[in-house]
Amino acid sequence: MILLLALIIGVLYAAGTYLVLRRSMVKVIFGLIFLGHAANLTIFTVARPTKGVPAFVPENALAIAEPFADPLPQALILTAIVIGFGVQAFTIVLFKRTYQTLGTEDLDEMRSTDTLE
Amino acid sequence: MLSLLVTGFLASALAPVLYRRFRENFGWIAVIFPLFMFFGFLSRYPEVAAGEVIRESVPWVPSLGVNFSFLLDGLSLTFALIITLVGAAVFLYAGAYMKHYANTGRFFLSIGVFMTSMLGLVLSDNMLLMFVFWELTGISSFLLIGFDHRKESARRAALQALLVTGGGGLALLAGTILLHRVTGSVEISSFYGMSGIITSHALYPAIAILLLFAAFTKSAQFPFHFWLPNAMEAPAPVSAYLHSATMVKAGIYLIARMNHEIGGTPLWQDTVLIAGTATMLFAALLAFGQTDLKKLLAYSTLSVLGTLVMLLGIGSELAVKAFFIYLIAHSLYKGTLFLVAGTLDHETGARDVMKLGGLRRAMPVTAVTAALASFSMMGIIPLVGFIGKETVYKAILELEYWGVFLIAAAVAANAFIVMITLFVGFKPFWGETLLTPRPPGEAPLKMLIGPALLAVLGLLFGLFPGVFIAVMLQQSALSILSETLSLKISIWQGFNLVLLLSFVTLLLGGVLFLVRSRMPERLLALRAPALLKPSAWYEGSLRLLSSLARLQTRLLQNGYLRNYIIVIVVTAISLASFALYRSAGRFVLEPAVAVTFYEVALAFIIVVSTVLLITSKSRLKSIVALGVLGFSIGIIFVIYGAPDVALTTFAIETLNVILFVLVLYRLPRFLKLSRSSNRVRDSLIAGGVGVFMTLIVLYATSFELSPELKRFFAAASLPEGKGRNIVNVILVDFRALDTLGEMTVLAIAAVGIFAMLKLRTRGRA
């Protein structure tokens, strides 16, 4: 099971790296999203995920009994997802503005804001 | 001594302010400062003369062994007295000489800092402290050489001096660190008696070479001599002070100070002897083609520095005695002559000796001063220079094997020095009167006192060596050789070989003068090929450095995002892979939970949507694939007991897809931008990253996981956080500050997005 997750993580990282190296700015943004997913899954997997049983303290009990999912990586990932979304939204809008101004999404042509008008 | 140095720095800082108020008579105010220091040190003279070594230590960074510890013995007291005495002459002189320059206040600030640092350098007992002062003298020298910063040549010379001596400073630091590894201390006084341990250590050659490199660059020994003649761009008082009497002797001081702990080995003595002799001879030869007053003096200074180093290389009792007398004599007469050169420049507007002559009537006092110093420089009885030269010759003649060659070299070098002296000290004042750019007149009193004082001291030291030099000589020799001497010092030693050699030197010098005066200028236009000139090596290495920097910038900072990423990723992966490879045995694969059909299907969907996203030309299709991917990952979270994470993922992915569609749906299809070779390269890198990350995850999961945190949060959630959803409790309670940070990031992103959507570039709709 961990092997399967590890393979998925590998695929996501590979795809993210490949996309980040592209010249199209949209693909670079896709790449960032992929890398975000991959990083979240890595944190999750490294903490040994357990199937079923979420980390809830049952009603009329004082503490939860094993086995249950580790809550700490989940909390970390939640924070990461939300921040990741902030970054993605920002880059998407940044792309929109760049495209409006320069009329291109090719990063190689974006070396200066003055070259194109 | 620490308080004296602190006072020195404070007084220097006040100089610009005071200069603004007392512009006219600033020389008289400035001279108080070195004189005060001079008498401060002079008051210690009886103690040191009685053989006492005065120590003082204030902890600075005791854990690193860095302390403000000072050592006042014969050697450092001699240097301190020279520094402050010549300083007094120079400060008074500069008060008048620098009046017509802009920023004279700043000049006094720099030269005050220099004097204080130079004192610190010779007083330091701690080598790291010495390094600090060493670099401070280098920096103040940089500021003073480049004082006329509108001149390109001055800036270049300043930078050259800084780079050469600064490089030496780094060598001093490295040598100090190595010494610390050998002895466990950086206090010079703690090395006493450790000579055997240090010289037999495996690191000894490195220590010796580093320290000698530092000394040779600072004291402008061959092949690092080229910066000193160029440093003549500085105003005359600076040349007199830094570049003849004091700073260039710092390297020599270092060799002398280190001599009896680190010296004594063939490596040390031979290197010092060869470098010194080479400098002595070559510098004297190079002076032959010069006609500029200050350049001539600079080359003679180089030659004398070489002689001093050579004497330390000989290292006998007599050589140390000669070293000491010659050091004092040189400081006195060379300081004087540099100031005289400055006066000539100041009063006549010319510095070329061929254009100066017959000035004795216009400038009688200067002429007498120059003559007095020149007699000392040529080694004519009864001035101190005579004793100096006699003792040098005697020390060389004592040598058995190399004595003949060395004495020939020394006589030749001194003959050239005699020639230089005749050009600088006599030619401008005697002979036929030549027309100068400005009508000559005697310099103001302030510019006469300093040089005259130093010149007269040269006479007094020569007439009464027993009074002025003998005691300090004894104590200094103790510092250098760590043994007492049985030496007497007197001016007249009878008719002997040495006296004969002195006559030969004077005669040769006179002949050289006559030859040079009648020589057509075009014969001198011949120059050595660039390959043989160390200054050309310097220029070459600077050019190499900047082209290397350009190359590196083009390679690493080329403005292409993907190249930065490739460099970072490939470096990180290769280094980490190496570490991973070394612990390859750790991988254990245990399928803790059996894999179900759903999971495999999910993995399949993720792979398919990934491939689709990468290959698709349609933007809408890519966005759909992105959504499918995000939701699949959300489902993974559902399977492994993370409903909160899953919910958030679903929400965010939905928002993401909407945002992408809004922004992208009107754009044209993707173009194939990259070349296929680039695609292949990128796929290889990406594949490497993927494999590496998979291995990292497997490696990390092969360790035992500590359940402590998990248990803590599970147990504390309800009683302390008052919540049953442990993940939520962590987010809003235990790690609430993280969440606050997260919200701040979102707010900033929102502000940014708002700005980008609302703001319009000027001139556009």
Side-chain angles (χ1 to χ4, degrees):
Chain A
M1 163 206 85
I2 280 179
L3 180 63
L4 188 70
L5 283 176
L7 287 174
I8 294 177
I9 289 167
V11 169
L12 290 178
Y13 266 112
T17 313
Y18 182 79
L19 286 170
V20 164
L21 294 176
R22 302 275 53 81
R23 273 167 70 178
S24 155
M25 193 170 166
V26 178
K27 293 209 169 167
V28 173
I29 299 174
F30 285 160
L32 285 179
I33 296 174
F34 265 76
L35 291 177
H37 282 315
N40 289 340
L41 266 188
T42 308
I43 299 173
F44 194 66
T45 312
V46 166
R48 309 312 133 78
T50 338
K51 272 193 190 169
V53 213
F56 285 132
V57 180
E59 293 292 329
N60 59 44
L62 274 178
I64 185 170
E66 292 273 7
F68 59 93
D70 192 342
L72 185 62
Q74 294 188 22
L76 295 180
I77 293 167
L78 270 175
T79 311
I81 291 176
V82 177
I83 290 182
F85 172 70
V87 173
Q88 284 157 28
F90 186 85
T91 44
I92 292 170
V93 177
L94 180 68
F95 165 73
K96 181 180 175 330
R97 277 298 284 174
T98 326
Y99 191 82
Q100 275 178 354
T101 314
L102 298 176
T104 179
E105 61 158 333
D106 185 351
L107 283 173
D108 283 10
E109 289 177 27
M110 286 187 200
R111 306 188 67 187
S112 149
T113 46
D114 300 325
T115 49
L116 295 161
E117 187 51 45
Chain B
M1 281 177 258
L2 178 61
S3 50
L4 210 56
L5 294 181
V6 173
T7 319
F9 284 122
L10 287 179
S12 312
L14 280 179
V17 183
L18 286 175
Y19 182 76
R20 232 167 284 149
R21 293 205 55 179
F22 307 100
R23 183 178 289 266
E24 274 314 301
N25 290 308
F26 191 68
W28 296 111
I29 296 172
V31 77
I32 299 170
F33 166 37
L35 272 186
F36 170 74
M37 298 260 200
F38 176 74
F39 287 112
F41 284 111
L42 204 60
S43 69
R44 298 297 185 92
Y45 177 81
E47 295 166 67
V48 174
E52 211 176 309
V53 175
I54 303 163
R55 287 219 179 80
E56 203 183 282
S57 188
V58 178
W60 182 11
V61 194
S63 55
L64 296 176
V66 186
N67 299 310
F68 290 111
S69 48
F70 299 101
L71 180 72
L72 193 66
D73 60 1
L75 185 63
S76 46
L77 182 61
T78 308
F79 270 92
L81 290 176
I82 293 177
I83 293 165
T84 45
L85 184 67
V86 180
V90 166
F91 276 45
L92 183 61
Y93 181 92
Y97 183 88
M98 299 301 294
K99 213 184 273 173
H100 310 296
Y101 282 76
N103 298 320
T104 308
R106 207 180 60 206
F107 170 85
F108 278 102
L109 168 66
S110 307
I111 205 162
V113 167
F114 166 76
M115 186 181 83
T116 316
S117 318
M118 190 65 208
L119 282 173
L121 195 161
V122 298
L123 294 174
S124 293
D125 189 13
N126 191 296
M127 286 193 69
L128 289 172
L129 188 64
M130 189 201 248
F131 165 75
V132 172
F133 287 123
W134 183 283
E135 295 295 46
L136 271 176
T137 60
I139 292 166
S140 40
S141 153
F142 169 75
L143 293 173
L144 288 167
I145 298 172
F147 184 71
D148 196 356
H149 55 76
R150 285 191 200 86
K151 254 165 77 186
E152 211 240 333
S153 55
R155 291 199 304 269
R156 279 168 67 94
L159 187 64
Q160 191 180 51
L162 182 74
L163 287 180
V164 174
T165 61
L170 291 183
L172 175 65
L173 182 63
T176 306
I177 293 167
L178 290 185
L179 256 180
H180 183 263
R181 286 189 56 182
V182 175
T183 63
S185 165
V186 289
E187 302 273 326
I188 294 169
S189 49
S190 71
F191 300 152
Y192 290 124
M194 293 184 85
S195 172
I197 302 172
I198 297 173
T199 50
S200 60
H201 197 274
L203 286 175
Y204 172 70
I207 296 173
I209 288 168
L210 284 169
L211 292 183
L212 286 180
F213 179 77
F216 289 172
T217 50
K218 197 79 167 176
S219 286
Q221 295 298 297
F222 186 82
F224 309 110
H225 61 274
F226 53 88
W227 70 265
L228 187 58
N230 291 340
M232 293 302 129
E233 290 289 340
V238 175
S239 306
Y241 195 31
L242 274 70
H243 304 125
S244 81
T246 55
M247 190 184 85
V248 288
K249 298 212 170 86
I252 290 168
Y253 170 81
L254 181 71
I255 301 178
R257 179 55 85 192
M258 292 291 143
N259 193 56
H260 74 74
E261 299 105 18
I262 303 179
T265 60
L267 170 70
W268 179 273
Q269 299 297 352
D270 291 351
T271 315
V272 172
L273 185 64
I274 291 167
T277 314
T279 313
M280 172 179 79
L281 198 58
F282 286 130
L285 294 175
L286 287 172
F288 194 68
Q290 303 294 333
T291 56
D292 181 274
L293 277 176
K294 288 177 72 186
K295 286 268 163 87
L296 277 167
L297 287 173
Y299 281 106
S300 78
T301 305
L302 277 177
S303 181
V304 171
L305 292 172
T307 311
L308 290 170
V309 170
M310 178 192 76
L311 288 169
L312 288 173
I314 295 174
S316 63
E317 278 193 16
L318 202 55
V320 169
K321 178 183 164 189
F323 165 79
F324 190 74
I325 302 170
Y326 208 46
L327 175 81
I328 296 176
H330 176 254
S331 297
L332 292 176
Y333 71 68
K334 195 54 70 61
T336 311
L337 285 178
F338 261 116
L339 293 180
V340 166
T343 309
L344 285 171
D345 187 14
H346 195 255
E347 300 303 326
T348 68
R351 246 167 59 178
D352 189 328
V353 283
M354 297 305 176
K355 295 187 179 124
L356 293 165
L359 290 168
R360 66 181 181 282
R361 276 182 215 92
M363 311 169 76
V365 183
T366 310
V368 171
T369 308
L372 210 52
S374 302
F375 282 134
S376 186
M377 180 159 161
M378 290 195 289
I380 288 175
I381 204 162
L383 287 109
V384 68
F386 171 75
I387 313 178
K389 194 167 60 175
E390 296 281 290
T391 332
V392 172
Y393 284 173
K394 231 194 294 181
I396 297 173
L397 285 173
E398 250 189 7
L399 281 181
E400 282 179 13
Y401 298 108
W402 296 100
V404 187
F405 299 101
L406 284 185
I407 198 75
V411 169
N414 273 296
F416 276 100
I417 289 181
V418 169
M419 180 204 82
I420 295 172
T421 320
L422 290 171
F423 272 117
V424 177
F426 293 104
K427 177 157 188 317
F429 301 103
W430 310 87
E432 55 174 322
T433 311
L434 297 175
L435 208 62
T436 48
R438 245 177 278 157
E442 189 56 280
L445 183 63
K446 271 183 275 188
M447 285 168 65
L448 295 175
I449 294 180
L453 173 81
L454 295 180
V456 169
L457 274 178
L459 180 63
L460 289 177
F461 277 40
L463 286 174
F464 311 105
V467 182
F468 289 100
I469 305 183
V471 182
M472 291 308 286
L473 170 62
Q474 198 62 248
Q475 297 306 325
S476 296
L478 199 65
S479 313
I480 299 174
L481 291 174
S482 73
E483 53 194 46
T484 44
L485 296 183
S486 48
L487 290 175
K488 277 196 218 88
I489 177 168
S490 60
I491 186 134
W492 182 246
Q493 315 233 344
F495 294 99
N496 52 20
L497 179 59
V498 173
L499 194 66
L500 181 70
L501 285 173
S502 279
F503 278 122
V504 172
T505 311
L506 283 176
L507 207 65
L508 271 177
V511 171
L512 280 172
F513 175 75
L514 291 177
V515 171
R516 177 69 183 83
S517 308
R518 280 159 182 68
M519 202 163 164
E521 285 301 313
R522 69 193 145 76
L523 266 185
L524 294 166
L526 296 171
R527 286 276 176 270
L531 203 63
L532 290 176
K533 285 168 119 180
S535 56
W537 308 343
Y538 166 83
E539 299 289 339
S541 53
L542 275 196
R543 270 198 302 276
L544 189 72
L545 194 67
S546 47
S547 54
L548 249 175
R550 261 197 300 279
L551 185 76
Q552 182 199 309
T553 311
R554 260 205 307 276
L555 265 179
L556 299 177
Q557 298 290 325
N558 51 15
Y560 288 102
L561 175 69
R562 59 181 170 282
N563 288 359
Y564 299 155
I565 294 173
I566 288 175
V567 169
I568 294 168
V569 164
V570 170
T571 314
I573 297 282
S574 344
L575 290 178
S577 296
F578 180 67
L580 202 62
Y581 171 76
R582 296 215 316 197
S583 47
R586 285 209 55 98
F587 289 98
V588 200
L589 289 180
E590 290 177 87
V593 185
V595 178
T596 61
F597 166 73
Y598 303 108
E599 284 157 22
V600 178
L602 213 52
F604 183 70
I605 293 172
I606 288 176
V607 172
V608 169
S609 53
T610 305
V611 172
L612 199 69
L613 187 140
I614 290 176
T615 53
S616 167
K617 283 237 164 38
S618 147
R619 288 179 200 262
L620 212 55
K621 225 187 270 176
S622 308
I623 296 168
V624 170
L626 193 71
V628 170
L629 176 85
F631 274 80
S632 313
I633 288 170
I635 294 172
I636 292 182
F637 290 132
V638 172
I639 296 177
Y640 292 107
D644 299 280
V645 183
L647 279 174
T648 315
T649 309
F650 292 147
I652 296 255
E653 286 309 315
T654 316
L655 274 174
N656 241 344
V657 168
I658 293 171
L659 198 59
F660 261 118
V661 170
L662 281 177
V663 172
L664 295 186
Y665 81 108
R666 250 188 270 180
L667 293 188
R669 295 164 73 82
F670 283 120
L671 295 171
K672 196 173 174 182
L673 287 172
S674 307
R675 272 177 291 148
S676 354
S677 62
N678 282 355
R679 284 171 186 274
V680 173
R681 180 197 62 192
D682 295 347
S683 341
L684 286 176
I685 294 170
V689 173
V691 171
F692 174 77
M693 287 314 295
T694 304
L695 291 177
I696 278 283
V697 168
L698 292 177
Y699 179 68
T701 47
S702 65
F703 286 93
E704 200 64 44
L705 189 70
S706 156
E708 237 170 90
L709 279 175
K710 183 179 174 185
R711 282 193 197 135
F712 165 77
F713 285 120
S717 174
L718 189 60
E720 288 179 33
K722 312 289 178 213
R724 291 183 187 276
N725 182 341
I726 304 175
V727 177
N728 281 2
V729 172
I730 291 175
L731 279 176
V732 299
D733 193 321
F734 293 117
R735 304 184 59 85
L737 269 180
D738 274 9
T739 311
L740 187 69
E742 167 197 332
M743 280 151 63
T744 316
V745 171
L746 273 193
I748 292 170
V751 171
I753 290 168
F754 181 79
M756 280 193 288
L757 290 178
K758 288 292 169 199
L759 292 181
R760 289 278 176 267
T761 21
R762 219 172 289 162
R764 272 171 177 274

